[in-house]
Each structure stands twice: as structure tokens, then as C-alpha cells.
Amino acid sequence: MNDIKMKVNGREVTGSVEGRTLLVEFLRNDLRLTGTHVGCDTSQCGACLVHVDGEVVKACSMFAAEADGREVTTIEGMANADGSLNTIQQAFQDHHGLQCGFCTPGMVMAATTLLRDNPKPSETDIREYLDGNICRCTGYHNIVKAIMAASGQEVDRAALAAE
Amino acid sequence: MHNFELVKPTSIEDAVAALKEEEAQPYSGGQTLLPTMKARLAAPTKLVSLLGIDELRYVRIEGDQVHVGGATTHATVARETKEAYPGLASLAARIGDPAVRNRGTIGGSLANNDPSACYPAAALGSGATIKTDRREIAADDFFEGMFMTALEEGEIVTGVTFPIPQAARYEKFIQPASRFPLTAVFVAKYDAGVRVAVTGASELGVFRWTEAEEALSKTFSADAVKDLKVDDADMISDLHGSGAYRAHLTKVMTARAVTALS
């Protein structure tokens, strides 16, 4: 067993995990942070995205023991301090960027690092960045709209529909 | 997944010592190995993580060479070689997706030598030198066929040195489900001549298309490869495309790369 210690959503946590324990298993089963979803468990869908030291990674494709000493942020750590939705989350709600909601935590985590690195992305930039995030409901249009809106850019419905 | 012991050395020396144990396996970003272990296609009893070794993580631009540490992620290479070697940066920026690029490493990709991986094409197409804990290996001698390399048991890639070309371009035709190249071509133009490396296409893994190199070294234009024939005998044939299709793609991707550079 490996004794691990990390900061999750700003809080120090400790645990004891097997070598094979995935980060997502530690988050969901040990910490009960079930907002991070396991969609495929084969590294393809992006529902399990979290931030480790500020960078987006697949929590199903990293061992919990590898996050020892690191800072992890999950979807539970994204809302504003008063509990209200942050700009990106609110934009997903406003623009109907989700239907069943299963992929949404991963989408929000990806959108966050995208907008940090590229504050005014084009629609193509957004689609490319979401290459590893699969959504089976929305057809992606409303997700792209939501991220465009969250970046403070005009949402051109006609142009989006034409893509 | 079968359980294993995870060890996290902080020096190359300690990693090599840990790898002397039977069934120990080097582990870098894990973007291939971890899913492989989930599928129980690999079941090492000990994983030696290389990501905690600071001396394996660097990008250094020195003169006409780029040196990259073995445990450097694709995201770091994409960011830090943008000006010195844009052809390499662009390849690194298109591997997998952003989350994969934040974990996957150049050493892991080269050591795995997946027949559809991107980095082997850059290494072979640049005539790079692969450095290990015990020697230096020319890219021409490193890749020995699908998932096979010149690496010995317990030998780890510590760095890669790329000579910077006048210009280079990676043209990738992706298999949309896996996002790996169905066929991709790396074309690099050096003073000494043009190098063309092809990935995703051959049963023998990454290879140099020498006929195209000769033709392009004489005349650097898409027309120079127009009448060349790519032998499809060793090409991968699967539900995504026949060998003949991949042979055709090899030519098309080469021509696109050359056109983009002309």
C-alpha cells in the first residue's frame, strides 16, 4: 500500500492506496467526490477529466499514488465561493450545453484550461481542444456555444449551425 | 488490473537499479501502458515511474539541435519547441488530445514504438539520436519493427536530440475513432538532403520512404513524388483501410507536406 497526501479542491487529504488504485477511484470511492465520472474507463471519453497541478488529465489514466504531493481540482471545486455556478458552468446552463449531463464535468474541466490558455478561442479551437471529450447527447453545438459565451464572445448561431 | 508495486525513483541511477528486478517495467506517462494493464495485456509486478526524475524533464535549444528529456510531456515539447523547431512542435501538439499530451512522454512513445505513433516519425524523419542510460542510438538503428526497438531489458530513454532542419512538416490522416494516424508522414528538409518518415502504414512500424527522399532531395516539389510507387506488400490491412489504401495515403500525405513547405 502507498500512503498518499494531496490537496483536493484546496483541502489536504490523505489516504492509503494500492499501486493499481486509479486517481478517479480514489476521488470517487475514498473521498466520495462523485462528480468526476467514469464513462469509458479506456481513456477515450474525457468524462473523468480533473486538473492536476492546474493541467487537465484523465483521472482514469493516472494512478492515485502518482498524485501524491500534487494539487487536484475536480468539478466540485469549480463553483464560486458562494456556491453559485462559475462563468463556464453558468454558460453551459444558459446555452443548454448539456442534456444528460454525464460528460459535463469533463467538458467544464477542459473548457477551463482552454480559456485559461486561449481566452478568445475560435470555434475550431474549441472543437479541437475537445477532441478527447465525448458527448452523446448534444451533438456538441451547444457545448461550443456555451464555451464561446463563457469567453465573452458573440455566439453566432448561424455560423455554428453551418459547421 | 492486477496489483503491482509502484516505485518512484528520483534519479536515473535509482530507476535503472529498480529495473534490474525481474518483471519490473518502466512507466512514464502511462497513456498506453495503463490502459494496456487495465485490459490485462500487461501485468508487471513492479512499475518504476520515471516522471519524478527531474533530470529526465527538459527541453534545451542549443545551436542547431533540440534536446528533449525522455520524460518530457508532449504538451511541454509542443510549447517549448515552437520557435526552434516548429515542425516538431506541431507534431507534438496533435498527439492524442490535451489530457493525453499533459501525461504522455516522448521517451515512452519512442520506447513503445507503436506502429501508429507520431513521435517515431519525427525521430526517424529528423535523423534524431536517442540517448539511454547506457548509450546513444541513431534513430535509423533504434526502430526494429512493430513495438520493437533496440532497447535492452531495463534500458530507459533518457533523452532525444533532434538536428533542426531548414523546414519540416507532419501530415497526419487520422483514424477518427482512435485519433492515431491511419497514415502520417514527416518530411524534413536538411542541408544534406530530405528525409521522409512514414508511420501508421507498415506492419514493420515506422519506416523511411527512401525513393521519395532521393526524388525530393533533387527537386523539392510535390510533382517529384507523383510518379513514384509505394510498395504495399508490408502495409497494414485492417477494417479501417487496405494496404493499398495506406500505400496511396503515404504518397498523398508526402505530397501535402511538400506542398505546404514549398
Side-chain angles (χ1 to χ4, degrees):
Chain A
M1 298 294 273
N2 303 269
D3 290 326
I4 56 171
K5 190 165 117 178
M6 66 185 84
K7 215 175 224 184
V8 178
N9 301 329
R11 191 166 62 91
E12 287 280 359
V13 300
T14 56
S16 185
V17 295
E18 289 185 319
R20 64 180 165 183
T21 304
L22 301 170
L23 177 58
V24 73
E25 293 170 339
F26 179 66
L27 295 171
R28 288 179 56 87
N29 303 344
D30 293 29
L31 304 184
R32 294 285 167 194
L33 293 172
T34 54
T36 303
H37 290 165
V38 180
C40 67
D41 206 21
T42 54
S43 321
Q44 305 185 43
C45 78
C48 69
L49 292 192
V50 297
H51 297 167
V52 176
D53 289 343
E55 299 301 334
V56 73
V57 303
K58 297 178 190 188
C60 83
S61 299
M62 176 170 177
F63 296 115
E66 291 185 276
D68 184 33
R70 319 279 293 268
E71 285 196 24
V72 177
T73 307
T74 70
I75 189 68
E76 287 89 348
M78 297 307 287
N80 296 325
D82 65 359
S84 60
L85 298 179
N86 76 12
T87 307
I88 293 171
Q89 291 171 314
Q90 189 60 53
F92 269 72
Q93 187 182 68
D94 293 345
H95 293 272
H96 206 150
L98 62 149
Q99 287 179 32
C100 86
F102 195 89
C103 72
T104 314
M107 291 288 179
V108 170
M109 299 315 282
T112 303
T113 48
L114 166 66
L115 295 183
R116 178 198 65 194
D117 297 340
N118 184 359
K120 299 283 173 202
S122 67
E123 286 155 24
T124 307
D125 292 341
I126 296 171
R127 286 175 191 276
E128 279 179 5
Y129 200 89
L130 295 181
D131 218 9
N133 291 80
I134 292 174
C135 172
R136 297 287 78 150
C137 303
T138 63
Y140 302 98
H141 287 304
N142 288 354
I143 292 172
V144 176
K145 274 187 213 167
I147 298 173
M148 284 299 274
S151 73
Q153 300 183 90
E154 283 281 313
V155 177
D156 183 344
R157 283 161 197 273
L160 280 166
E163 262 192 44
Chain B
M1 191 187 307
H2 292 288
N3 202 16
F4 56 86
E5 184 196 350
L6 181 73
V7 294
K8 298 194 279 184
T10 52
S11 72
I12 294 173
E13 205 184 341
D14 289 350
V16 172
L19 285 166
K20 289 218 165 74
E21 262 180 55
E22 219 173 305
E23 302 278 318
Q25 164 95 38
Y27 177 84
S28 196
Q31 299 303 285
T32 297
L33 182 52
L34 194 155
T36 307
M37 289 167 65
K38 279 186 183 174
R40 297 193 173 181
L41 296 170
T45 53
K46 183 176 189 170
L47 279 191
V48 180
S49 171
L50 306 177
L51 286 188
I53 304 175
D54 287 342
E55 55 187 321
L56 289 181
R57 288 183 305 180
Y58 59 84
V59 174
R60 282 197 293 267
I61 319 291
E62 287 169 6
D64 55 2
Q65 294 185 322
V66 174
H67 306 277
V68 182
T72 308
T73 63
H74 311 328
T76 302
V77 174
R79 196 169 54 238
E80 295 186 15
T81 65
K82 212 180 261 178
E83 277 162 33
Y85 192 169
L88 177 67
S90 158
L91 175 143
R94 288 181 282 154
I95 297 172
D97 57 54
V100 166
R101 293 194 286 274
N102 283 331
R103 294 290 297 167
T105 68
I106 190 168
S109 172
L110 294 177
N112 191 44
N113 193 18
D114 186 299
S116 293
C118 297
Y119 263 132
L124 192 60
S126 304
T129 302
I130 289 117
K131 295 179 179 176
T132 78
D133 55 274
R134 58 201 75 168
R135 58 186 167 144
E136 296 192 351
I137 309 169
D140 282 318
D141 302 322
F142 183 82
F143 303 104
E144 297 186 340
M146 196 180 272
F147 297 112
M148 302 285 286
T149 69
L151 292 173
E152 292 164 359
E153 205 61 41
E155 183 174 13
I156 56 175
V157 174
T158 54
V160 188
T161 296
F162 294 90
I164 300 172
Q166 296 165 15
R169 175 92 176 185
Y170 183 57
E171 283 291 334
K172 170 158 83 166
F173 191 92
I174 65 161
Q175 197 273 81
S178 72
R179 302 185 206 95
F180 272 83
L182 189 62
T183 290
V185 177
F186 192 87
V187 175
K189 201 175 168 189
Y190 287 91
D191 291 342
V194 176
R195 290 177 71 104
V196 178
V198 184
T199 187
S202 172
E203 295 279 3
L204 307 175
V206 67
F207 70 96
R208 282 172 69 187
W209 185 19
T210 47
E211 291 87 350
E213 291 182 351
E214 281 163 31
L216 291 168
S217 295
K218 280 188 207 128
T219 317
F220 196 76
S221 82
D223 278 350
V225 296
K226 199 176 59 185
D227 297 324
L228 297 181
K229 173 117 181 59
V230 185
D231 185 8
D232 64 12
D234 295 322
M235 293 294 183
I236 299 167
S237 215
D238 59 19
L239 76 167
H240 306 296
S242 65
Y245 183 59
R246 282 182 167 85
H248 178 68
L249 275 180
T250 299
K251 195 153 112 174
V252 173
M253 292 296 114
T254 304
R256 282 188 192 171
V258 172
T259 303
L261 291 171
S262 303

